Amino acid sequence: MLFNVRQETLPREEIEALQLRRLRNVCERVYANVPFYRKQFEALGVRPADVKSLADVKLLPFSEKQDLRNHYPYGLFAVPKDNIVRLHASSGTTGKAVVLGYTARDLEIWSEIAARSLMAAGVTRSDIVHVAYGYGLFTGGLGAHGGAECIGATVVPASGGASRRQAHLMRDFGATVLCCTPTYALHLWEAGLEVGIDFHDLPLRVGVFGAEPWTEAMRRDMEEKMGIDAMNIYGLTEIMGPGVAMECAASKCGLHVWEDHFLPEIIDPVTGEQLPPGETGELVLTTLTKEGVPLIRFRTRDLTSLDYSPCICGRTHARIARLRGRTDDMLIIRGVNVFPQQIESLLMESEGLTPNYQIIVDRVDNLDTLEVRVEVSDTLFADEIRKLQMLETRLQKNIKEFLGVSTKVRLMEPHSIARSEGKALRIVDNRSKEL
Ligand code: DLL
């Protein structure tokens, strides 16, 4: 079933005509209201009126996470603050968050695209949708929530944590749809088994999983273990949140980007040149209707390709391939974005630690774990064990407080971390072996 049949099946010429109109409009809005963009446009000698065809998007400047950080918190907002009704945020590269503001109209559109996404996954108003994405500044919880309500389904706003209790709630309330990260779904499934709840015995039939990379092999495994259709949802805070692109149950092959609201491009991450459909590169998105913080040619750092061929579901919106990784070193730990530099800067604030550190990411019982190993100086190493233990605890607390993720910090003997001959091997991601 389609949530918005007309928009979701617009003929290609109509999509493109709409995109062009909206692209010109968003360029005019940012040029008039956001000094950052006006400067960027001027530096390239381009004006909104120069956008005469969709191909002219190439003339426009790129934007990236760093720009949002540089203008923290409100510098890229395009409307007066009175018109902003909600804020969401995600990590930037230095611990400072990237802040996005939504107008009432933005939230309406977000709910609609999240509703389209859930329906593409097979959700209907008869469903009981258990939302175990985190609620809060992270967009997962409230995003999925808005979509499910917009469809008229029954929402259970469970958020993350207390997994055994969640398994009980899923059983007692008769959850038919589970929305969370794929790894948390596996964790919930295990927690359920521990208390005698097998997802196969529940009416559960659909999983809407995203916010982190996962694979076809994981999909097969989860579908088998849980007796569900496991569907892939993509999104990012800067652009909106979950529901920027979504797989359809009919093909389970590629994620439809809601092109009436977002203009996708694939570029070569090194040269910035546009790549043709089918070629893998970095996904770049322009928001066509967003009012609060419109973004022009936002570099997502996510690697994928675009497919404009017709889909058997009848939707005409282009599809991106399952995400293949990122062009930067951002880690996603239990759905939280973490940049190694953030951890590094926290470590470097403490006296007696050396810059030789390593971050070990693993998956234990389907949950991501993060261990930070850092070498101490000879002087500190000569200190009492108790002092070292206190320092470990303090670092763990700082990292939790600033980045929102739990870590295990291990202070290491001087010279015990292997030196690399080339670039330092900062991150050992043992999860990638199973991906
Ligand atoms: O993760 C929004 C979201 C919430 C999407 C719930 C889906 C479901 P951020 O925290 O800003 O926003 O992280 C965005 O997560 O650039 C990708 O690298 C990654 N990501 C999101 N969805 C997928 C997916 C949310 N389906 C970053 N597959 C993005 C792979 C994903 N990576």
Side-chain angles (χ1 to χ4, degrees):
M1 264 217 295
L2 277 61
F3 180 79
N4 185 335
V5 180
R6 171 150 169 74
Q7 288 303 109
E8 291 178 55
T9 61
L10 276 184
R12 173 99 330 238
E13 317 78 71
E14 284 187 44
I15 295 186
E16 290 182 0
L18 183 65
Q19 286 181 321
L20 179 58
R21 233 180 20 250
R22 291 182 167 175
L23 179 62
R24 292 184 62 138
N25 177 275
V26 69
C27 286
E28 275 158 19
R29 283 188 286 123
V30 297
Y31 193 81
N33 301 318
V34 187
F36 162 78
Y37 273 116
R38 179 185 281 263
K39 271 196 221 119
Q40 299 276 93
F41 275 58
E42 278 169 358
L44 293 177
V46 54
R47 299 179 68 94
D50 296 332
V51 179
K52 299 203 166 65
S53 71
L54 277 183
D56 290 336
V57 72
K58 290 202 288 283
L59 308 173
L60 302 174
F62 288 116
S63 55
E64 55 184 9
K65 229 185 214 313
Q66 184 66 29
D67 298 321
L68 285 155
R69 253 192 61 217
N70 291 348
H71 296 85
Y72 175 88
Y74 298 140
L76 295 193
F77 283 35
V79 296
K81 273 200 240 39
D82 279 3
N83 297 2
I84 297 291
V85 298
R86 193 189 302 162
L87 298 177
H88 278 285
S90 99
S91 321
T93 41
T94 60
K96 210 182 239 183
V98 160
V99 180
L100 280 298
Y102 301 67
T103 65
R105 173 92 186 114
D106 291 338
L107 290 187
E108 252 171 54
I109 289 175
W110 185 14
S111 290
E112 148 134 23
I113 59 160
R116 285 187 201 177
S117 302
L118 292 176
M119 273 211 165
V123 180
T124 72
R125 65 189 303 276
S126 313
D127 276 302
I128 299 197
V129 181
H130 186 98
V131 180
Y133 284 118
Y135 281 64
L137 287 173
F138 177 57
T139 53
L142 285 163
H145 186 111
E149 267 191 2
C150 190
I151 291 176
T154 309
V155 192
V156 182
S159 198
S163 309
R164 289 177 170 199
R165 180 165 165 264
Q166 292 219 27
H168 278 121
L169 291 182
M170 286 173 68
R171 183 195 57 197
D172 298 349
F173 296 171
T176 54
V177 177
L178 172 62
C179 301
C180 60
T181 62
T183 45
Y184 192 59
L186 278 163
H187 187 73
L188 276 179
W189 168 77
E190 256 179 10
L193 289 181
E194 280 162 21
V195 291
I197 296 169
D198 185 343
F199 282 9
H200 275 281
D201 301 333
L202 306 185
L204 195 67
R205 49 182 200 86
V206 178
V208 180
F209 303 142
E212 63 182 9
W214 56 305
T215 58
E216 283 301 319
M218 273 175 84
R219 168 165 21 220
R220 280 193 296 277
D221 181 51
M222 296 170 83
E223 293 192 333
E224 210 170 283
K225 280 182 170 143
M226 303 177 193
I228 58 168
D229 274 319
M231 309 294 302
N232 195 2
I233 186 166
Y234 170 78
L236 57 166
T237 318
E238 291 87 345
I239 297 299
M240 195 65 113
V244 170
M246 178 72 208
E247 267 180 351
C248 59
S251 78
K252 279 194 188 169
C253 179
L255 294 78
H256 293 281
V257 180
W258 304 119
E259 282 192 272
D260 46 343
H261 296 292
F262 311 109
L263 178 66
E265 299 170 70
I266 298 291
I267 62 160
D268 177 322
V270 180
T271 64
E273 294 296 319
Q274 261 186 11
L275 295 175
E279 277 191 37
T280 298
E282 180 180 339
L283 176 67
V284 168
L285 292 166
T286 298
T287 63
L288 295 173
T289 50
K290 202 151 69 131
E291 295 176 337
V293 188
L295 290 176
I296 306 291
R297 302 194 86 197
F298 182 75
R299 295 190 59 162
T300 65
R301 308 286 170 194
D302 289 317
L303 290 169
T304 181
S305 57
L306 267 170
D307 178 3
Y308 288 90
S309 68
C311 180
I312 49 169
C313 72
R315 291 178 184 82
T316 47
H317 296 230
R319 283 172 284 167
I320 50 169
R322 186 181 277 281
L323 285 297
R324 292 173 196 189
R326 293 183 53 90
T327 64
D328 60 14
D329 52 4
M330 183 177 96
L331 293 165
I332 304 181
I333 309 294
R334 301 185 183 193
V336 180
N337 303 344
V338 176
F339 287 90
Q341 305 97 288
Q342 293 177 306
I343 295 183
E344 178 175 318
S345 53
L346 286 173
L347 295 178
M348 291 309 106
E349 283 169 12
S350 279
E351 242 174 74
L353 298 185
T354 74
N356 297 312
Y357 71 93
Q358 223 169 31
I359 296 171
I360 319 279
V361 190
D362 218 323
R363 191 160 284 162
V364 179
D365 294 338
N366 296 311
L367 280 186
D368 298 332
T369 60
L370 194 71
E371 181 175 302
V372 179
R373 295 181 186 163
V374 54
E375 282 180 17
V376 299
S377 64
D378 292 313
T379 357
L380 186 65
F381 191 62
D383 250 324
E384 307 162 40
I385 297 253
R386 195 178 51 89
K387 260 199 181 160
L388 293 173
Q389 281 169 343
M390 272 163 57
L391 179 57
E392 278 178 350
T393 314
R394 183 156 55 81
L395 289 168
Q396 278 168 197
K397 219 173 119 229
N398 282 353
I399 295 176
K400 173 81 188 164
E401 194 172 310
F402 286 103
L403 308 185
V405 285
S406 305
T407 48
K408 171 152 185 32
V409 172
R410 271 179 60 190
L411 298 181
M412 311 281 290
E413 226 176 287
H415 312 292
S416 58
I417 294 179
R419 301 292 189 265
S420 147
E421 289 181 0
K423 283 190 194 201
L425 180 60
R426 295 290 192 210
I427 300 160
V428 181
D429 194 343
N430 293 324
R431 297 175 305 177
S432 29
K433 290 182 192 136
E434 54 182 275
L435 281 182

